[in-house]
Amino acid sequence: MPDRTPARPFRSREWFAAPGRSDMTALYLERFMNYGITPEELQSGRPIIGIAQTGSDLSPCNRIHLDLARRVRDGIRDAGGIAMEFPVHPIFENCRRPTAALDRNLAYLGLTEILYGYPIDAVVLTTGCDKTTPSGIMAASTVDIPAIVLSGGPMLDGWHEGELVGSGTVIWRSRRKLAAGEITEEEFLARATASAPSAGHCNTMGTASTMNAVAEALGLSLTGCAAIPAPYRERGQMAYETGRRIVDMAYEDLRPSKVLDRRAFLNAIKVVSALGGSSNAQPHIVAMARHAGVELSHDDWMTHGYDVPLLVNMQPAGKYLGERFHRAGGVPAVMWELLKAGAIDGGGLTVTGRTMAQNLEGREATDREVITPYDAPLKERAGFLVLKGNLFDFAIMKTSVISEEFRARYLSEPGREGVFEAKAVVFDGSDDYHHRINDPALGIDERTILVIRGSGPLGWPGSAEVVNMQPPDALIQKGISSLPTLGDGRQSGTSDSPSILNASPESAAGGGLAWLRTGDVIRIDLNAGTCDALVDAAEIARRRAEAPPPVPESHTPWEEIYREKTGQLAEGAVLEVAVKYRGVSARTPRHNH
């Protein structure tokens, strides 16, 4: 292989050819010998490429990377690099208790320390399940070495008795069917398990598919990477090409700081709207931007994302699942529509070494039932609606999942379109909700808004996906499948509930939900972007003087540290002490002996 000169010296040389410290060079080299690497390889001047392995038996959504890593290694070796694979803290949304939201910042911390403290010149970030994508990108921004995202891809489409059943989404829809008496518990389980037919992450446009699409929209993945289903042959081919490309990026010194600018993040916001993407994208995009040193305001979600139409007909906002989305053209076809309409900026640099516009050339959709033209969308103005009022300073509502039934019942009163009032029924956490939702004494009817508090970063802790509450069984049996819902936590990206989410500050941080009481009337004005409890100022002051709702104690050291250092969902729920650290790889850590 011909000699190549890197744009800046590889940092691994500071370990394996330590200037003036032959004793340290010997120490760093010595133990790698015990599994067969030679000194000649490590001292060859070739880049050391890390593979941040997020796959494990504890992370089934990412387990495919245990196989894909071999193809990544092949690509790295063929391109002239040396691969070093290492584990990353596991994240599994479905199974981690009390919530996987605790793990995003923990995985970020661990990966940051690995990338900074070990002789790694560039890294392949393996992603899949929701928070593996932002945690990897956050760490790559902090350290700022060349980094590329390889997603594991969604599962194959799920089918049950001839019907498409999408992961996650089938849970929320079947829960309503069970409450209505339309299916048994055995049928519920059968529908749920049928939605997960293969390796891969959610086959719906839940948070996993959304965040891997965001990585591509930011310019951090090879074009077309995000949507390839995990079992498809193209997924292994993409892994190989990703391995090859990261070696070139190491030589070019193409770091996240050269890719992640404000236009990249605004593009990502717009792509999420066009996809009908997860409401969890909001805190994750904000978190990645803050670690990249890019300023995003609350208004950016309205100014740049709200008017974007829904182009993708995929559950939960639509009908289809991941396989057909991929075959229709995937993320590049959606971005091509947006670029052609002038809705995104194609001038930014990407990991391909080319601009986004160059990457998208000729990527027109091949299935217009799944990816619609920009001027003939599934819905107009499908972005997140930002709300504020006396209950919180910031919250969002995912408008692409507002059903015709919901719109007719709450948003269509003549002369008051987009405005409604409802009586609050307040729950302190999800256990309280599940214990009391069917209590007739609560008087829940179709003019009720269900409110859940104590579910934010501090109150849970970590912030839980519990806001997509369903009505009591009696209402569902009458044909009322959804009620307005509001909370200081999150909801699953696979949910089709138009909830008001991520309310900040949360009740545990002194937000207005702490003083809200069952029976209060809440007025929501989607036109003005406001949400207020109709309670007079004196009464609010009196309630604020009372003891706040209880917060459960921390059960692990990390829960306590998380609560102490983490901010609110509006600001990305990041470790506030961490955002000041950027580009730390510019200074090599001191020797260890």
PDB file of all heavy atoms in Angstrom, residues 53-73:
ATOM      1  N   GLN A  53     -18.162  -0.616  20.130  1.00  0.00           N
ATOM      2  CA  GLN A  53     -19.104  -1.731  20.021  1.00  0.00           C
ATOM      3  C   GLN A  53     -20.259  -1.584  21.014  1.00  0.00           C
ATOM      4  O   GLN A  53     -20.081  -1.733  22.222  1.00  0.00           O
ATOM      5  CB  GLN A  53     -18.362  -3.052  20.255  1.00  0.00           C
ATOM      6  CG  GLN A  53     -19.222  -4.303  20.208  1.00  0.00           C
ATOM      7  CD  GLN A  53     -19.967  -4.480  18.896  1.00  0.00           C
ATOM      8  OE1 GLN A  53     -21.120  -4.049  18.754  1.00  0.00           O
ATOM      9  NE2 GLN A  53     -19.301  -5.088  17.925  1.00  0.00           N
ATOM     10  N   THR A  54     -21.439  -1.288  20.504  1.00  0.00           N
ATOM     11  CA  THR A  54     -22.629  -1.151  21.354  1.00  0.00           C
ATOM     12  C   THR A  54     -23.475  -2.413  21.365  1.00  0.00           C
ATOM     13  O   THR A  54     -24.477  -2.479  22.074  1.00  0.00           O
ATOM     14  CB  THR A  54     -23.509   0.017  20.883  1.00  0.00           C
ATOM     15  OG1 THR A  54     -23.899  -0.211  19.518  1.00  0.00           O
ATOM     16  CG2 THR A  54     -22.769   1.338  20.997  1.00  0.00           C
ATOM     17  N   GLY A  55     -23.080  -3.418  20.570  1.00  0.00           N
ATOM     18  CA  GLY A  55     -23.847  -4.659  20.529  1.00  0.00           C
ATOM     19  C   GLY A  55     -23.475  -5.585  21.669  1.00  0.00           C
ATOM     20  O   GLY A  55     -22.311  -5.700  22.052  1.00  0.00           O
ATOM     21  N   SER A  56     -24.498  -6.243  22.224  1.00  0.00           N
ATOM     22  CA  SER A  56     -24.283  -7.237  23.273  1.00  0.00           C
ATOM     23  C   SER A  56     -25.586  -7.987  23.482  1.00  0.00           C
ATOM     24  O   SER A  56     -26.625  -7.621  22.928  1.00  0.00           O
ATOM     25  CB  SER A  56     -23.858  -6.570  24.594  1.00  0.00           C
ATOM     26  OG  SER A  56     -24.947  -5.884  25.185  1.00  0.00           O
ATOM     27  N   ASP A  57     -25.539  -9.035  24.298  1.00  0.00           N
ATOM     28  CA  ASP A  57     -26.771  -9.763  24.605  1.00  0.00           C
ATOM     29  C   ASP A  57     -27.753  -8.905  25.398  1.00  0.00           C
ATOM     30  O   ASP A  57     -28.956  -9.170  25.392  1.00  0.00           O
ATOM     31  CB  ASP A  57     -26.449 -11.030  25.404  1.00  0.00           C
ATOM     32  CG  ASP A  57     -25.753 -12.088  24.561  1.00  0.00           C
ATOM     33  OD1 ASP A  57     -25.708 -11.926  23.324  1.00  0.00           O
ATOM     34  OD2 ASP A  57     -25.246 -13.069  25.132  1.00  0.00           O
ATOM     35  N   LEU A  58     -27.232  -7.888  26.092  1.00  0.00           N
ATOM     36  CA  LEU A  58     -28.109  -6.985  26.845  1.00  0.00           C
ATOM     37  C   LEU A  58     -28.723  -5.917  25.946  1.00  0.00           C
ATOM     38  O   LEU A  58     -29.623  -5.208  26.388  1.00  0.00           O
ATOM     39  CB  LEU A  58     -27.337  -6.299  27.974  1.00  0.00           C
ATOM     40  CG  LEU A  58     -27.188  -7.075  29.285  1.00  0.00           C
ATOM     41  CD1 LEU A  58     -26.399  -6.245  30.281  1.00  0.00           C
ATOM     42  CD2 LEU A  58     -28.548  -7.451  29.864  1.00  0.00           C
ATOM     43  N   SER A  59     -28.228  -5.791  24.735  1.00  0.00           N
ATOM     44  CA  SER A  59     -28.708  -4.755  23.808  1.00  0.00           C
ATOM     45  C   SER A  59     -29.146  -5.410  22.505  1.00  0.00           C
ATOM     46  O   SER A  59     -28.463  -5.313  21.485  1.00  0.00           O
ATOM     47  CB  SER A  59     -27.607  -3.727  23.538  1.00  0.00           C
ATOM     48  OG  SER A  59     -27.165  -3.120  24.724  1.00  0.00           O
ATOM     49  N   PRO A  60     -30.287  -6.102  22.518  1.00  0.00           N
ATOM     50  CA  PRO A  60     -30.702  -6.842  21.321  1.00  0.00           C
ATOM     51  C   PRO A  60     -30.881  -5.969  20.094  1.00  0.00           C
ATOM     52  O   PRO A  60     -30.652  -6.433  18.973  1.00  0.00           O
ATOM     53  CB  PRO A  60     -32.012  -7.513  21.746  1.00  0.00           C
ATOM     54  CG  PRO A  60     -32.454  -6.804  22.976  1.00  0.00           C
ATOM     55  CD  PRO A  60     -31.229  -6.297  23.639  1.00  0.00           C
ATOM     56  N   CYS A  61     -31.276  -4.711  20.273  1.00  0.00           N
ATOM     57  CA  CYS A  61     -31.456  -3.833  19.121  1.00  0.00           C
ATOM     58  C   CYS A  61     -30.139  -3.563  18.407  1.00  0.00           C
ATOM     59  O   CYS A  61     -30.118  -3.241  17.216  1.00  0.00           O
ATOM     60  CB  CYS A  61     -32.097  -2.519  19.545  1.00  0.00           C
ATOM     61  SG  CYS A  61     -33.748  -2.723  20.240  1.00  0.00           S
ATOM     62  N   ASN A  62     -29.025  -3.672  19.124  1.00  0.00           N
ATOM     63  CA  ASN A  62     -27.698  -3.405  18.571  1.00  0.00           C
ATOM     64  C   ASN A  62     -26.863  -4.675  18.389  1.00  0.00           C
ATOM     65  O   ASN A  62     -25.728  -4.592  17.941  1.00  0.00           O
ATOM     66  CB  ASN A  62     -26.922  -2.445  19.490  1.00  0.00           C
ATOM     67  CG  ASN A  62     -27.471  -1.042  19.475  1.00  0.00           C
ATOM     68  OD1 ASN A  62     -28.670  -0.848  19.505  1.00  0.00           O
ATOM     69  ND2 ASN A  62     -26.599  -0.063  19.413  1.00  0.00           N
ATOM     70  N   ARG A  63     -27.435  -5.823  18.687  1.00  0.00           N
ATOM     71  CA  ARG A  63     -26.649  -7.059  18.698  1.00  0.00           C
ATOM     72  C   ARG A  63     -26.077  -7.389  17.321  1.00  0.00           C
ATOM     73  O   ARG A  63     -25.046  -8.057  17.211  1.00  0.00           O
ATOM     74  CB  ARG A  63     -27.495  -8.218  19.211  1.00  0.00           C
ATOM     75  CG  ARG A  63     -26.669  -9.405  19.668  1.00  0.00           C
ATOM     76  CD  ARG A  63     -27.535 -10.513  20.262  1.00  0.00           C
ATOM     77  NE  ARG A  63     -26.700 -11.566  20.817  1.00  0.00           N
ATOM     78  CZ  ARG A  63     -26.129 -12.523  20.098  1.00  0.00           C
ATOM     79  NH1 ARG A  63     -26.308 -12.547  18.786  1.00  0.00           N
ATOM     80  NH2 ARG A  63     -25.381 -13.447  20.675  1.00  0.00           N
ATOM     81  N   ILE A  64     -26.715  -6.910  16.272  1.00  0.00           N
ATOM     82  CA  ILE A  64     -26.241  -7.139  14.909  1.00  0.00           C
ATOM     83  C   ILE A  64     -24.809  -6.641  14.726  1.00  0.00           C
ATOM     84  O   ILE A  64     -24.060  -7.140  13.880  1.00  0.00           O
ATOM     85  CB  ILE A  64     -27.193  -6.459  13.893  1.00  0.00           C
ATOM     86  CG1 ILE A  64     -26.840  -6.842  12.447  1.00  0.00           C
ATOM     87  CG2 ILE A  64     -27.167  -4.949  14.049  1.00  0.00           C
ATOM     88  CD1 ILE A  64     -27.098  -8.277  12.106  1.00  0.00           C
ATOM     89  N   HIS A  65     -24.396  -5.667  15.540  1.00  0.00           N
ATOM     90  CA  HIS A  65     -23.046  -5.122  15.395  1.00  0.00           C
ATOM     91  C   HIS A  65     -21.959  -6.120  15.797  1.00  0.00           C
ATOM     92  O   HIS A  65     -20.798  -5.958  15.388  1.00  0.00           O
ATOM     93  CB  HIS A  65     -22.904  -3.835  16.201  1.00  0.00           C
ATOM     94  CG  HIS A  65     -23.558  -2.660  15.563  1.00  0.00           C
ATOM     95  ND1 HIS A  65     -23.189  -2.190  14.327  1.00  0.00           N
ATOM     96  CD2 HIS A  65     -24.577  -1.851  15.989  1.00  0.00           C
ATOM     97  CE1 HIS A  65     -23.942  -1.146  14.006  1.00  0.00           C
ATOM     98  NE2 HIS A  65     -24.779  -0.930  14.989  1.00  0.00           N
ATOM     99  N   LEU A  66     -22.308  -7.155  16.550  1.00  0.00           N
ATOM    100  CA  LEU A  66     -21.328  -8.198  16.840  1.00  0.00           C
ATOM    101  C   LEU A  66     -20.888  -8.875  15.543  1.00  0.00           C
ATOM    102  O   LEU A  66     -19.740  -9.319  15.416  1.00  0.00           O
ATOM    103  CB  LEU A  66     -21.912  -9.228  17.807  1.00  0.00           C
ATOM    104  CG  LEU A  66     -22.291  -8.707  19.204  1.00  0.00           C
ATOM    105  CD1 LEU A  66     -22.915  -9.823  20.028  1.00  0.00           C
ATOM    106  CD2 LEU A  66     -21.073  -8.128  19.918  1.00  0.00           C
ATOM    107  N   ASP A  67     -21.805  -8.977  14.582  1.00  0.00           N
ATOM    108  CA  ASP A  67     -21.471  -9.517  13.263  1.00  0.00           C
ATOM    109  C   ASP A  67     -20.930  -8.434  12.329  1.00  0.00           C
ATOM    110  O   ASP A  67     -19.949  -8.661  11.608  1.00  0.00           O
ATOM    111  CB  ASP A  67     -22.713 -10.155  12.626  1.00  0.00           C
ATOM    112  CG  ASP A  67     -23.202 -11.366  13.408  1.00  0.00           C
ATOM    113  OD1 ASP A  67     -22.349 -12.103  13.945  1.00  0.00           O
ATOM    114  OD2 ASP A  67     -24.422 -11.557  13.499  1.00  0.00           O
ATOM    115  N   LEU A  68     -21.558  -7.259  12.349  1.00  0.00           N
ATOM    116  CA  LEU A  68     -21.141  -6.200  11.419  1.00  0.00           C
ATOM    117  C   LEU A  68     -19.708  -5.738  11.673  1.00  0.00           C
ATOM    118  O   LEU A  68     -19.021  -5.296  10.748  1.00  0.00           O
ATOM    119  CB  LEU A  68     -22.088  -5.002  11.535  1.00  0.00           C
ATOM    120  CG  LEU A  68     -23.520  -5.201  11.029  1.00  0.00           C
ATOM    121  CD1 LEU A  68     -24.341  -3.937  11.284  1.00  0.00           C
ATOM    122  CD2 LEU A  68     -23.549  -5.557   9.544  1.00  0.00           C
ATOM    123  N   ALA A  69     -19.271  -5.844  12.918  1.00  0.00           N
ATOM    124  CA  ALA A  69     -17.912  -5.375  13.246  1.00  0.00           C
ATOM    125  C   ALA A  69     -16.857  -6.098  12.420  1.00  0.00           C
ATOM    126  O   ALA A  69     -15.809  -5.529  12.108  1.00  0.00           O
ATOM    127  CB  ALA A  69     -17.643  -5.558  14.738  1.00  0.00           C
ATOM    128  N   ARG A  70     -17.137  -7.354  12.049  1.00  0.00           N
ATOM    129  CA  ARG A  70     -16.170  -8.077  11.222  1.00  0.00           C
ATOM    130  C   ARG A  70     -16.028  -7.433   9.847  1.00  0.00           C
ATOM    131  O   ARG A  70     -14.927  -7.353   9.297  1.00  0.00           O
ATOM    132  CB  ARG A  70     -16.596  -9.541  11.097  1.00  0.00           C
ATOM    133  CG  ARG A  70     -16.411 -10.339  12.377  1.00  0.00           C
ATOM    134  CD  ARG A  70     -16.528 -11.824  12.138  1.00  0.00           C
ATOM    135  NE  ARG A  70     -17.918 -12.222  11.906  1.00  0.00           N
ATOM    136  CZ  ARG A  70     -18.768 -12.578  12.862  1.00  0.00           C
ATOM    137  NH1 ARG A  70     -18.360 -12.584  14.117  1.00  0.00           N
ATOM    138  NH2 ARG A  70     -19.994 -12.936  12.585  1.00  0.00           N
ATOM    139  N   ARG A  71     -17.124  -6.979   9.281  1.00  0.00           N
ATOM    140  CA  ARG A  71     -17.067  -6.313   7.985  1.00  0.00           C
ATOM    141  C   ARG A  71     -16.424  -4.933   8.117  1.00  0.00           C
ATOM    142  O   ARG A  71     -15.722  -4.475   7.209  1.00  0.00           O
ATOM    143  CB  ARG A  71     -18.462  -6.203   7.381  1.00  0.00           C
ATOM    144  CG  ARG A  71     -19.070  -7.516   6.979  1.00  0.00           C
ATOM    145  CD  ARG A  71     -18.217  -8.235   5.927  1.00  0.00           C
ATOM    146  NE  ARG A  71     -18.283  -7.582   4.631  1.00  0.00           N
ATOM    147  CZ  ARG A  71     -17.271  -7.494   3.778  1.00  0.00           C
ATOM    148  NH1 ARG A  71     -16.089  -7.984   4.080  1.00  0.00           N
ATOM    149  NH2 ARG A  71     -17.428  -6.891   2.612  1.00  0.00           N
ATOM    150  N   VAL A  72     -16.669  -4.255   9.234  1.00  0.00           N
ATOM    151  CA  VAL A  72     -16.000  -2.978   9.482  1.00  0.00           C
ATOM    152  C   VAL A  72     -14.485  -3.203   9.534  1.00  0.00           C
ATOM    153  O   VAL A  72     -13.703  -2.454   8.930  1.00  0.00           O
ATOM    154  CB  VAL A  72     -16.489  -2.329  10.791  1.00  0.00           C
ATOM    155  CG1 VAL A  72     -15.722  -1.044  11.078  1.00  0.00           C
ATOM    156  CG2 VAL A  72     -17.988  -2.038  10.719  1.00  0.00           C
ATOM    157  N   ARG A  73     -14.070  -4.251  10.247  1.00  0.00           N
ATOM    158  CA  ARG A  73     -12.639  -4.571  10.342  1.00  0.00           C
ATOM    159  C   ARG A  73     -12.039  -4.835   8.957  1.00  0.00           C
ATOM    160  O   ARG A  73     -10.932  -4.381   8.660  1.00  0.00           O
ATOM    161  CB  ARG A  73     -12.446  -5.810  11.216  1.00  0.00           C
ATOM    162  CG  ARG A  73     -12.553  -5.571  12.705  1.00  0.00           C
ATOM    163  CD  ARG A  73     -12.390  -6.888  13.459  1.00  0.00           C
ATOM    164  NE  ARG A  73     -12.320  -6.669  14.887  1.00  0.00           N
ATOM    165  CZ  ARG A  73     -11.209  -6.417  15.571  1.00  0.00           C
ATOM    166  NH1 ARG A  73     -10.064  -6.325  14.922  1.00  0.00           N
ATOM    167  NH2 ARG A  73     -11.245  -6.241  16.867  1.00  0.00           N
TER     168      ARG A  73
END
